[in-house]
Amino acid sequence: MNKLLIKGGRVIDPSQHIDKVTDLLIEDGRVKAIGNDLAADDAEVFDAGGLVVAPGFIDLHVHLREPGQEYKETIATGAAAAVAGGFTAICAMPNTRPVNDNASLTRYMVSKAQEAGLARVYPIGAITRGSEGTELAEMADLKAAGAIAVSDDGRPVMNSQVMRHAMEYARDHGLVVVDHCQDTQLSAGGVMNEGRISTLLGLKGISRAAEESHIARDIMLCELTGARVHIAHLSTAGAIELVRRAKARGLPVTCEITPHHFALTDAAVVGFDTNTKMNPPLRTEEDRMALIEAARDGLVDAIATDHAPHHEDEKMLEYDQAPFGVIGLETALGVALTVLHHTNGVALPRVVEMLTAGPARAFDLAGGTLAVGAAADVTIFDPEREWTVEPQQFKSKSHNTPFGGWRLRGQVVTTFVAGSEVFRVQ
Amino acid sequence: MAFNRKDLLGIRELSVEEITTILDTATSFKEINERPIKKVPTLRGKTVINFFFESSTRTRTSFEIAAKRLSADSINISASTSSVTKGETLADTARNLQAMAPDAIVIRHPSPGVPYQLARLIDASIINGGDGAHEHPTQALLDAFTIREQKGRISGLRVAIIGDIRHSRVARSNTHLLTKLGAQVRIAGPRPLIPPDYESIVEDSSDALLVCNRIEAAIEGADVVMMLRIQRERMSEAFFPSLKEYSIQYGLTLKRLELAAKDAIVMHPGPMNRGVEISSDVADGNRSLILEQVHNGVAVRMAILFLLIGAEGE
Ligand SMILES: [Zn+2]
């Protein structure tokens, strides 16, 4: 297929401030034209009437378990889950086994993704060797091999001096530092948000202060070093406030929020379903509403899933013993549209921006745009179509979602990567 | 007198009527325990498994005696490690228990929620025998039974609960139960041992539940003073400076007890650290109902077994 004409869809491309019903012409894997009544005699025609045509979604935060834990997810199954969720590009966190702290592992991941031929996979390298928080990983080498950012996600860098040097070094090499912000001494042993519900359930809590104090430190180090800092998965109202102030002062700080944090609160933990155990934990309604407000008013750069596959047997443990994390690639759009757009009135272009142009800007990634000449990564979705989440139908190898059985409004219809169809809804 | 639950998991879910049913039923079973031959055929042919992941001779023995006095077969299983260290999932554990075809399983586990998780997987009645720092419903029921027997009522009483609230399932279950039945609960202990937002765990937002800064404020005018065990194994976490300071600041002495109502009673779920949270003269004094609590535990557990697995089809 050389030419594809997507006709009559509502094209929303926040990178170009486009939101109108029009046509999109793709030629040889690139965007050829956007405009009314485009015609191409030899093009395949896709009737997008009633559908939204958007740049392919970009997820800044996923966990693919390859290498090391392929029984949870592989790069190929993760990429399949991604395109089923409308994501044409995903950034893979380095906490594989072994940790992605070296160029050969980064290259291995890139080649596995190319073999799969679905979503683009951008590896994130480790900040420190083995993500142990002491010695810096070889960031320049990682970048040369294809890493697009560095992070010790899941294992916050507690040593502030190490983090300072990491930021200084990353800045020299044009790498964004992505931090999972949590003071691990304050949060030690915690398994859910600290508050009324943790007290009721007798589960050890993780205070908001554990997250916020670490964010505050990172913002100060950002100011000290001039590095670009991306705060992963904000979960509290206070965290939002800290980022708001940093941005207002012009610091190069970006941030992401996850669908589970803006859709759920710690009340979901009552009943001890381990699919509600994530890190940072589900917070309170006040925090949830602060995230939604920050999504609405433009503070949030990206919606990221923190897709974290775990095998059913591992989640079928005592709540305090089960691993943290839930999957999210295949429910992200449905949850985002249901909660942000349909329930809380966040404008559709704003939701699309957090899935496309926002994440592309945060990590300087190609994509997130339908600009003429750009690779034709396109996601077509129906913002109204209702569907029920059936985890057993997922492309992901794992089923650990808190949204099983939820009725969502908004579904991905078709996903194109470089002009090739890689997913179509059944 | 309806009690239609499959399981007894926590006090929080129970209605006042259900609690009253259990306490009333226990009153009739207590009489059996005072007969020369303390055995009735009520649960003949039924099997009760005591599945204890934590050692607790007191609770386990109490359930075992309760089952035996009702003529049920009682089996004890203990496990010293959690399923994760055994390489087994809770689903495996559930399948194994189910295969023994029990009628009821009493489970004690260090992780909050395990009885709830198992109750979704197992047909037998699950009785929470204490899950981590979450709930210990049978202890709260026997405490309430003891208070009601002594005071004739629970509504309107002032009950001080003092000590390590953070790690105490007894405190949580008692807080729910006593406030549901109309008592005022006052909590005191070192602030690091009081979990956040404790005041908000009961539905009633009035002064049904007070967290006091000092033990004296909690004891003042109290009708019941319930002391909790200080868990020495937690001393390393710097919750408070020393046992010596703890006993000076938070220990129940005869002198402190004078602040309570004239006819106040003293309770302790045991085992006690004499000289730490409670002085021996108080523990052994005429206000102390500590042994009566143990005695009543059997009757309350008989009532629970009967209501869960004995009443069907009658
Ligand atoms: Zn993280």
Side-chain angles (χ1 to χ4, degrees):
Chain A
M1 175 195 59
N2 277 333
K3 289 187 184 175
L4 171 68
L5 180 59
I6 299 169
K7 278 200 81 71
R10 177 176 169 189
V11 175
I12 300 181
D13 178 7
S15 77
Q16 306 182 80
H17 308 287
I18 294 172
D19 177 7
K20 62 179 177 194
V21 174
T22 190
D23 302 340
L24 175 72
L25 180 65
I26 294 168
E27 224 178 271
D28 294 325
R30 299 203 165 263
V31 176
K32 176 79 174 171
I34 296 181
N36 295 340
D37 305 318
L38 292 181
D41 297 339
D42 47 348
E44 187 189 333
V45 175
F46 185 107
D47 177 7
L51 304 177
V52 171
V53 179
F57 301 161
I58 299 170
D59 190 341
L60 298 180
H61 195 145
V62 306
H63 297 272
L64 302 176
R65 301 303 188 184
E66 183 176 3
Q69 295 178 302
E70 287 84 353
Y71 65 97
K72 299 185 182 193
E73 195 83 285
T74 63
I75 290 169
T77 60
V83 294
F87 291 96
T88 55
I90 53 179
C91 301
M93 282 296 176
N95 64 334
T96 45
R97 292 183 187 171
V99 169
N100 179 21
D101 64 359
N102 62 84
S104 61
L105 202 61
T106 303
R107 276 193 293 269
Y108 168 84
M109 293 174 72
V110 171
S111 73
K112 278 284 176 183
Q114 275 160 357
E115 249 172 65
L118 295 164
R120 302 171 197 275
V121 175
Y122 297 119
I124 296 174
I127 296 174
T128 62
R129 287 173 204 257
S131 286
E132 284 173 0
T134 48
E135 298 168 75
L136 297 188
E138 290 172 342
M139 292 183 200
D141 206 23
L142 283 163
K143 183 173 183 184
I148 46 77
V150 289
S151 179
D152 279 353
D153 183 57
R155 298 182 64 183
V157 181
M158 279 294 287
N159 184 318
S160 301
Q161 183 75 323
V162 169
M163 192 57 156
R164 173 196 178 153
H165 293 323
M167 286 189 190
E168 289 168 336
Y169 194 81
R171 184 189 174 188
D172 280 352
H173 294 277
L175 284 162
V176 178
V177 176
V178 182
D179 203 9
H180 173 138
C181 289
Q182 187 171 69
D183 182 318
T184 54
Q185 291 178 326
L186 267 178
S187 68
V191 298
M192 67 173 296
N193 179 53
E194 178 181 296
R196 175 175 178 268
I197 306 284
S198 67
T199 292
L200 259 183
L201 300 182
L203 288 169
K204 194 155 185 195
I206 298 173
S207 65
R208 293 177 185 77
E211 179 169 337
E212 292 160 9
S213 60
H214 203 105
I215 293 175
R217 180 205 71 170
D218 276 9
I219 288 171
M220 288 173 188
L221 291 178
C222 168
E223 185 157 31
L224 183 66
T225 63
R228 287 174 60 184
V229 176
H230 179 78
I231 312 289
H233 41 54
L234 300 186
S235 74
T236 77
I240 292 285
E241 252 346 278
L242 286 163
V243 172
R244 197 180 292 285
R245 271 184 269 157
K247 284 191 169 196
R249 283 162 56 218
L251 296 176
V253 172
T254 54
C255 70
E256 69 191 29
I257 58 175
T258 77
H260 48 269
H261 286 116
F262 61 68
L264 295 163
T265 68
D266 58 355
V269 183
V270 175
F272 301 96
D273 176 359
T274 54
N275 286 323
T276 64
K277 182 172 174 182
M278 52 272 284
N279 194 7
L282 298 173
R283 303 288 188 180
T284 66
E285 184 64 9
E286 184 198 341
D287 297 305
R288 188 177 84 90
M289 291 316 293
L291 300 186
I292 292 172
E293 218 32 62
R296 188 200 318 277
D297 69 21
L299 178 86
V300 171
D301 297 280
I303 292 171
T305 64
D306 195 4
H307 180 80
H310 290 294
H311 193 268
E312 213 157 331
D313 284 351
E314 289 166 303
K315 275 290 197 181
M316 248 335 277
L317 292 175
E318 298 89 329
Y319 199 92
D320 53 8
Q321 303 290 328
F324 289 102
V326 295
I327 56 172
L329 285 167
E330 291 167 79
T331 50
L333 177 75
V335 172
L337 290 179
T338 303
V339 175
L340 297 180
H341 177 58
H342 294 303
T343 310
N344 287 284
V346 178
L348 210 44
R350 178 67 197 128
V351 176
V352 172
E353 183 179 29
M354 290 185 286
L355 290 163
T356 59
R361 266 196 309 268
F363 284 10
D364 284 338
L365 300 174
T369 180
L370 296 173
V372 170
D377 293 358
V378 183
T379 297
I380 299 177
F381 64 89
D382 183 341
E384 300 299 331
R385 182 162 161 177
E386 294 194 22
W387 60 292
T388 301
V389 179
E390 292 174 67
Q392 297 306 323
Q393 304 299 317
F394 284 165
K395 309 282 184 207
S396 172
K397 265 196 184 181
S398 292
H399 312 294
N400 51 308
T401 171
F403 299 117
W406 277 43
R407 191 92 186 137
L408 298 178
R409 185 168 159 207
Q411 189 176 38
V412 176
V413 172
T414 310
T415 308
F416 296 93
V417 171
S420 301
E421 182 178 299
V422 286
F423 172 77
R424 187 179 291 229
V425 75
Q426 295 302 308
Chain B
M1 292 273 285
F3 194 88
N4 293 320
R5 284 178 186 267
K6 169 182 166 277
D7 311 296
L8 180 71
L9 299 176
I11 298 293
R12 194 162 88 92
E13 299 88 63
L14 297 184
S15 66
V16 171
E17 293 69 32
E18 287 171 312
I19 292 166
T20 308
T21 299
I22 295 170
L23 299 183
D24 291 346
T25 308
T27 306
S28 54
F29 281 117
K30 183 164 180 178
E31 180 267 322
I32 294 169
N33 292 323
E34 277 143 21
R35 293 180 197 168
I37 295 173
K38 304 173 180 59
K39 192 154 181 155
V40 291
T42 315
L43 295 185
R44 185 178 289 152
K46 303 276 185 182
T47 304
V48 178
I49 296 179
N50 291 315
F51 189 38
F52 276 55
F53 273 86
E54 275 181 346
S55 58
S56 165
T57 312
R58 186 184 303 240
T59 303
R60 204 206 62 223
T61 309
S62 181
F63 269 110
E64 199 177 344
I65 294 170
K68 289 196 159 130
R69 290 198 177 154
L70 293 171
S71 301
D73 296 312
S74 167
I75 291 141
N76 294 322
I77 303 176
S78 55
S80 52
T81 55
S82 74
S83 53
V84 65
T85 47
K86 283 187 304 181
E88 194 177 70
T89 68
L90 277 180
D92 294 328
T93 304
R95 275 191 287 272
N96 285 321
L97 287 169
Q98 186 78 57
M100 299 176 213
D103 297 285
I105 299 165
V106 180
I107 179 152
R108 158 73 59 101
H109 199 286
S111 294
V114 167
Y116 291 73
Q117 291 172 294
L118 287 180
R120 291 197 283 264
L121 299 165
I122 295 178
D123 297 332
S125 291
I126 304 289
I127 299 169
N128 184 353
D131 61 330
H134 179 222
E135 283 234 39
H136 193 354
T138 64
Q139 177 72 41
L141 285 159
L142 76 87
D143 289 341
F145 182 89
T146 306
I147 295 169
R148 197 177 75 160
E149 197 177 50
Q150 286 294 314
K151 298 283 178 190
R153 67 192 166 110
I154 286 174
S155 181
L157 295 180
R158 286 156 294 190
V159 183
I161 303 179
I162 290 155
D164 180 357
I165 310 298
R166 179 182 283 273
H167 302 105
S168 175
R169 49 194 169 221
V170 176
R172 280 170 185 72
S173 285
N174 264 304
T175 298
H176 292 310
L177 198 164
L178 296 168
T179 55
K180 272 175 202 270
L181 292 194
Q184 182 191 62
V185 172
R186 295 126 160 233
I187 295 294
R191 188 53 70 159
L193 289 179
I194 296 180
D197 301 324
Y198 196 82
E199 299 88 335
S200 68
I201 70 167
V202 299
E203 309 295 332
D204 184 350
S205 57
S206 64
D207 63 351
L209 176 56
L210 303 176
V211 174
C212 305
N213 283 326
R214 296 178 47 75
I215 179 176
E216 286 80 7
I219 293 181
E220 179 122 43
D223 303 291
V224 180
V225 182
M226 191 180 289
M227 302 306 292
L228 300 176
R229 189 171 79 90
I230 275 301
Q231 306 186 25
R232 290 158 190 264
E233 61 273 18
R234 302 193 195 277
M235 288 294 293
S236 62
E237 266 198 63
F239 286 114
F240 55 87
S242 70
L243 279 180
K244 177 176 137 262
E245 182 151 310
Y246 184 88
S247 72
I248 293 169
Q249 295 291 322
Y250 302 98
L252 185 62
T253 56
L254 278 177
K255 186 158 170 21
R256 280 211 172 102
L257 191 54
E258 282 170 18
L259 295 167
K262 278 202 297 291
D263 58 347
I265 58 175
V266 173
M267 303 175 80
H268 193 303
M272 286 181 285
N273 297 302
R274 286 170 182 268
V276 180
E277 70 264 3
I278 190 165
S279 68
S280 275
D281 46 12
V282 175
D284 303 329
N286 57 3
R287 307 271 191 96
S288 168
L289 289 178
I290 294 167
L291 293 175
E292 192 60 21
Q293 288 172 270
V294 179
H295 181 66
N296 290 337
V298 174
V300 167
R301 289 173 175 124
M302 287 167 79
I304 290 161
L305 287 170
F306 172 75
L307 290 168
L308 288 175
I309 64 172
E312 79 231 47
E314 286 178 21

